[in-house]
Amino acid sequence: MTGAPSAIARHRAFEEIWRSPPGWGRLAAVNHTTIGLRFILTALAFFLVGGVLAMMMRAQLAAGGSGFLDSETYNQIFTMHGTVMMFLFAIPMLEGFAIYLLPKMLGTRDLAYPRLGAFAYWCYLFGGLILLGGLAAGVAPRSGWFMYTPLSGSTYSPGINADVWLIGVTFSEISALCGGVELAVSILRLRAAGMRLSRMPLFAWYMLVTSAMILVGFPPLILGSILLEVERAFGWPFFDVARGGDPLLWQHLFWMFGHPEVYIIFLPAAGLVSAMLPAFARRPVVGYPWIVASVVGMGIVSFALWGHHMSTAGISGHAAMFFSVASMLVAVPTAVQFFSWLATLYAGRPVLRLPMLYLAGFLAIFVLGGMTGVMLALLPFNWQAHDTHFVVAHLHYVLIGGMVFPLLAAAYYWMPHVSGRMPSALLGRWAFWLIFAGFNLTFLPMHLTGMLGMPRRVHAYPADSGWEWLNLASSVGGFLQAAGFGLFVLDVFLHVRTGRRSRHNPWESGGLEWAMPTPPTSYNFAAIPDLAAMPPSGAADPLWHQRDLGARLASGQGYLADPGRGQRETLAVEVRTGRPAHVVILPGSSWLPLASACALLVFFLALLFKAYAAVPLAAALSAALLACWAWRTGMRTEPLPMDAGNGLRLLPHAAARHAPGWTGTQLMLVADGALFGSLLFGYGYLWVVSPLWPPPACVTSDAPAPLSSVAALVAATASAAMARTRRALQSPKACCAWQAGAALAGLAAIWALCRIALYALPSPTSHAYAAISAAMICYVAVHAAAGVVISSHAALRCLAGYVSPARCLDVRVPALWWAYVLGTGLLALGLLYGTAHTLA
């Protein structure tokens, strides 16, 4: 009893440090539990909107020649249904679950960048509101959720309808990239002590691979959206055949994102299955190493099969065969995971609880969707079924079976964790059977209508086509599904208000997230667990080996159990071994993420409404807010080792060589490099398909050639930053001078790049060659401008005392950035001058 007041006092102190402000102050919250739940609830709201749109489509297609919707309205609804479900529901919902669950599963107190997570949420919300605002105003996009050119170009889609899609989706994709960086760094760096990579929960492995796929897969779509918006707004002909462009370039860029996205959606859902299944099988998952290998393999192979969406679009026979083989090959790692799950159930003692019912539905439906996927991977069949309702049926069997059923299972599984209350088993079972039966009644007949030749994306069909009774069955099934989802939402609402109290860990799971109080505290764990002594077989399910682990952590037996320093602290570990490395001091609640997202909202709205005078002002405001954001990190005094508990003393992350900020910068540059690589792909693709490169009309004999001066200036910029890094170890003032020199050299490089764009290139509106070349120059110039801002900010940090030989992250990041600018700049200029003889 003597320890109880101490534990209560510790809890109150931790809660005071970690809690979010009350009232309107909750808008400034950065705690991962709050942000994760915001993502989940907002994605659920978007899902309901997408569901209403789907019901309107099914009402239109229930009978041949229906006049419920005209073609214009139907096309807007069709486009927004796919856009909402793919961009505003699927990925954000899964990211929300990851943001909420991962720190709890990994035994840490928060994610690596709490403010970045809050910023990601606001970007997601604002991007989604732009899209829904367009729908409410009657100017929603109408070219399909894939926005194929030339249909989405200014000729066939005048007005701002397509711009709404391009701006809104790009805004939302910023959120996804931020989430990818944050989750990857958190999984690699913020874990319980002793949790090796080989001992992580499987869901963490799934999300690590997913995060890497987001960083590489999303930039092609972002680039494609930028290029199409520039073509629509300024006439740069990237996709205009008459001026050297090619509409297939959009398809390549879109599906470089679009097909990996299917696995970006599936893998987190499969990770949730791997996290839940052992609890109901009553044994650890079978084949842990095989599952990890299959997840990594699936992530790699998924980037090699985007072209199977383009089999009928005119790609070469050899390319089509390659993509066909890759599409069949991806079934192998999928099968490994399924057989592992089945083996887990077979070797265990399964119990049929409510979440397990949804998992059984997932196993049945996704297998059927995978079988039709293998059918579509075969070129002869693909040619027959392409652009028919057979593809629609396959897509929904894979996505709803592969994502929605696991999400529903996860919702019921972790409801007691979120609220401390149990869901209704009766309503949950009714919801399952309505959804399961309605789903199959909706999409199974679509396989038949597709085989009978019904094309997708049509708003009406002849009454005597033979498709009418099948479409009527699909529509009835769709409304049954809607009733099931309505019951699920009702169950969630009733569960929060009147659900019976849950006992702790009601599913008897071995997961670390159940070692904390439920509902969870704002700080997760009163002490960071030490799993070094855990047997390898039990690291993924620690509660099955230490059933009193929760009580021990609550009593302070672990790391960082003392809240006396009054700051948000968590433990960083070495990536591979999980040994404690340093203490991460996290920021508290802040209005800066919301303010930064609002500034970006103004930027994107100015682009949408062609108010270009406001664009640079909004960009400058965004840069200023981000600089203010970065200014509030770091230390002005030399750090001393901190007592981390268990007799261990560790330095704070400000003095760590592999601090989270350094790893995050590296991953951000990986995403940036993927965008640059997509730009190089666009240049190479147009070069290959163009009969003349460069075209004779773009030949200029008297163009200046400032290549050598540009290369020298960019090299000088990078060298100055590198020298500054070395001098920072000796003198902050010298470091400041070197960084100021880097900023000046960067300004000179921007001037020279602008001269190339203005004088060495023809007008970007004249030909795709000039447009893509100017885009590459703009890419390098924008990054040089960002380098100027980064170096200037770092110089001021030196003067303010944030830099010392021990606290040198502020000088290492600019050096890394300028090295990237140097590499991409020389590559871009070398490519332009090496392939266009008229510039030399």
Side-chain angles (χ1 to χ4, degrees):
M1 296 296 294
T2 57
S6 175
I8 293 174
R10 190 185 312 111
H11 164 76
R12 289 175 177 170
F14 273 126
E15 196 64 33
E16 182 65 24
I17 295 169
W18 287 85
R19 68 179 179 87
S20 299
W24 287 103
R26 290 189 66 82
L27 295 176
V30 298
N31 184 281
H32 82 96
T33 298
T34 301
I35 301 303
L37 291 176
R38 284 179 181 173
F39 266 101
I40 292 171
L41 294 176
T42 305
L44 178 60
F46 283 126
F47 174 74
L48 296 178
V49 172
V52 171
L53 298 177
M55 293 304 96
M56 296 175 69
M57 293 164 58
R58 287 314 322 167
Q60 168 67 18
L61 296 175
S66 173
F68 177 63
L69 299 173
D70 58 41
S71 60
E72 171 70 16
T73 305
Y74 182 87
N75 286 337
Q76 289 192 23
I77 289 174
F78 161 76
T79 300
M80 284 300 298
H81 167 70
T83 300
V84 167
M85 290 303 195
M86 298 297 284
F87 295 102
L88 303 183
F89 164 63
I91 294 175
M93 176 66 83
L94 294 165
E95 279 194 341
F97 268 93
I99 290 171
Y100 177 87
L101 287 173
L102 274 176
K104 298 171 172 57
M105 288 182 168
L106 296 174
T108 188
R109 288 177 175 151
D110 210 327
L111 296 173
Y113 315 116
R115 292 178 298 184
L116 187 63
F119 174 74
Y121 171 75
W122 295 117
C123 289
Y124 158 57
L125 176 64
F126 293 156
L129 291 179
I130 289 175
L131 289 164
L132 291 190
L135 179 63
V139 292
R142 53 179 178 262
S143 304
W145 70 274
F146 32 78
M147 292 294 286
Y148 277 0
T149 57
L151 182 60
S152 57
S154 56
T155 301
Y156 299 102
S157 294
I160 67 169
N161 300 63
D163 301 308
V164 168
W165 191 95
L166 296 169
I167 297 298
V169 166
T170 301
F171 202 176
S172 298
E173 299 301 84
I174 292 175
S175 167
L177 286 177
C178 292
V181 171
E182 181 174 37
L183 292 174
V185 175
S186 300
I187 294 168
L188 292 174
R189 292 291 179 188
L190 304 189
R191 304 196 299 270
M195 183 181 284
R196 304 171 63 92
L197 277 180
S198 58
R199 298 182 176 185
M200 288 196 308
L202 277 172
F203 182 62
W205 271 109
Y206 278 93
M207 287 310 306
L208 181 60
V209 173
T210 301
S211 299
M213 294 175 66
I214 287 174
L215 296 180
V216 179
F218 278 43
L221 177 63
I222 293 175
L223 174 69
S225 300
I226 293 172
L227 297 184
L228 182 53
E229 180 62 24
V230 169
E231 177 176 293
R232 290 176 53 84
F234 305 111
W236 294 23
F238 301 104
F239 311 107
D240 183 0
V241 176
R243 291 181 287 169
D246 193 335
L248 286 186
L249 175 58
W250 169 266
Q251 292 194 35
H252 280 293
L253 292 174
F254 182 87
W255 290 116
M256 283 178 183
F257 148 82
H259 205 89
E261 186 198 25
V262 173
Y263 299 95
I264 289 172
I265 291 172
F266 169 71
L267 285 178
L272 293 173
V273 174
S274 294
M276 292 181 283
L277 202 64
F280 300 110
R282 295 294 188 262
R283 61 149 295 139
V285 70
V286 173
Y288 178 105
W290 286 98
I291 292 181
V292 172
S294 70
V295 172
V296 175
M298 182 178 288
I300 294 172
V301 175
S302 67
F303 285 96
L305 45 85
W306 80 85
H308 85 225
H309 294 272
M310 304 169 60
S311 297
T312 62
I315 62 175
S316 69
H318 288 92
M321 186 176 297
F322 169 81
F323 290 124
S324 175
V325 172
S327 301
M328 289 184 281
L329 181 63
V330 80
V332 175
T334 308
V336 170
Q337 295 169 63
F338 266 82
F339 283 120
S340 175
W341 295 330
L342 293 176
T344 301
L345 292 172
Y346 180 80
R349 293 171 285 110
V351 292
L352 188 62
R353 306 286 294 276
L354 181 58
M356 186 62 206
L357 190 62
Y358 285 88
L359 292 180
F362 152 76
L363 292 171
I365 289 176
F366 189 79
V367 166
L368 295 176
M371 292 172 63
T372 57
V374 174
M375 293 169 64
L376 288 170
L378 300 172
L379 289 177
F381 184 82
N382 191 302
W383 273 80
Q384 298 298 318
H386 191 76
D387 272 345
T388 69
H389 268 220
F390 189 95
V391 178
V392 178
H394 159 70
L395 175 69
H396 286 81
Y397 262 84
V398 170
L399 290 185
I400 294 183
M403 187 202 76
V404 175
F405 276 91
L407 277 179
L408 293 171
Y412 281 115
Y413 183 83
W414 278 289
M415 270 186 194
H417 193 284
V418 175
S419 66
R421 297 179 181 270
M422 291 295 290
S424 167
L426 178 62
L427 284 178
R429 286 191 172 89
W430 270 101
F432 168 79
W433 288 114
L434 283 173
I435 295 171
F436 186 81
F439 170 84
N440 285 286
L441 184 58
T442 300
F443 298 108
L444 190 60
M446 285 189 186
H447 292 94
L448 300 178
T449 55
M451 296 291 284
L452 291 173
M454 182 176 179
R456 59 196 300 194
R457 313 178 200 122
V458 293
H459 84 287
Y461 56 91
D464 59 353
S465 60
W467 307 331
E468 195 165 32
W469 72 272
L470 291 170
N471 275 293
L472 179 60
S474 291
S475 296
V476 171
F479 283 94
L480 279 178
Q481 276 190 91
F485 285 116
L487 275 183
F488 167 76
V489 174
L490 176 64
D491 193 8
V492 172
F493 176 78
L494 294 177
H495 148 267
V496 172
R497 302 294 296 270
T498 62
R500 63 181 176 86
R501 292 290 179 182
S502 166
R503 64 184 176 87
H504 190 70
N505 194 4
W507 317 115
E508 299 180 14
S509 168
L512 193 56
E513 73 273 20
W514 296 100
M516 62 178 64
T518 53
T521 58
S522 58
Y523 54 88
N524 288 343
F525 299 96
I528 304 297
D530 185 359
L531 305 181
M534 189 76 64
S537 60
D541 304 292
L543 293 190
W544 285 348
H545 294 262
Q546 295 183 7
R547 296 189 179 274
D548 63 339
L549 181 60
R552 293 168 55 192
L553 296 177
S555 65
Q557 298 182 43
Y559 292 102
L560 300 177
D562 183 7
R565 286 185 286 265
Q567 55 192 7
R568 300 188 179 190
E569 299 173 353
T570 194
L571 190 68
V573 299
E574 295 178 2
V575 172
R576 185 180 62 83
T577 64
R579 285 196 293 266
H582 51 269
V583 176
V584 179
I585 301 172
L586 298 172
S589 300
S590 172
W591 289 95
L592 284 172
L594 176 57
S596 301
C598 288
L600 275 183
L601 175 63
V602 174
F603 174 83
F604 282 112
L605 289 178
L607 289 174
L608 178 62
F609 294 109
K610 310 298 187 289
Y612 296 121
V615 170
L617 297 177
L621 178 59
S622 299
L625 287 170
L626 292 175
C628 180
W629 184 343
W631 187 268
R632 298 190 178 186
T633 61
M635 304 174 66
R636 295 195 186 194
T637 58
E638 291 302 324
L640 298 175
M642 305 165 61
D643 182 11
N646 290 348
L648 187 66
R649 298 184 66 83
L650 299 172
L651 286 170
H653 74 274
R657 181 164 183 80
H658 297 289
W662 178 250
T663 306
T665 302
Q666 292 174 313
L667 292 180
M668 182 189 68
L669 288 179
V670 168
D672 204 345
L675 190 142
F676 182 67
S678 302
L679 187 58
L680 294 181
F681 171 85
Y683 183 91
Y685 177 81
L686 293 176
W687 181 12
V688 169
V689 301
S690 176
L692 291 173
W693 192 270
C698 292
V699 174
T700 54
S701 58
D702 57 348
L707 171 60
S708 58
S709 60
V710 170
L713 287 170
V714 176
T717 301
S719 299
M722 294 294 185
R724 173 184 176 273
T725 302
R726 293 191 297 269
R727 293 296 181 90
L729 301 176
Q730 308 299 326
S731 168
K733 291 184 178 180
C735 168
C736 176
W738 278 108
Q739 196 57 38
L744 292 175
L747 290 173
I750 295 170
W751 171 83
L753 290 166
C754 290
R755 283 186 59 82
I756 288 182
L758 292 174
Y759 301 112
L761 288 174
S763 170
T765 61
S766 62
H767 193 272
Y769 160 74
I772 196 73
S773 299
M776 295 177 70
I777 295 297
C778 289
Y779 176 91
V780 180
V782 167
H783 281 71
V788 171
V789 174
I790 293 171
S791 289
S792 301
H793 178 268
L796 295 175
R797 296 269 292 181
C798 291
L799 292 178
Y802 283 99
V803 176
S804 74
R807 296 170 284 121
C808 58
L809 183 63
D810 282 299
V811 299
R812 294 171 62 211
V813 168
L816 181 63
W817 181 267
W818 282 115
Y820 178 82
V821 174
L822 172 63
T824 55
L826 292 178
L827 185 58
L829 291 169
L831 181 63
L832 293 180
Y833 279 80
T835 59
H837 306 293
T838 59
L839 293 183

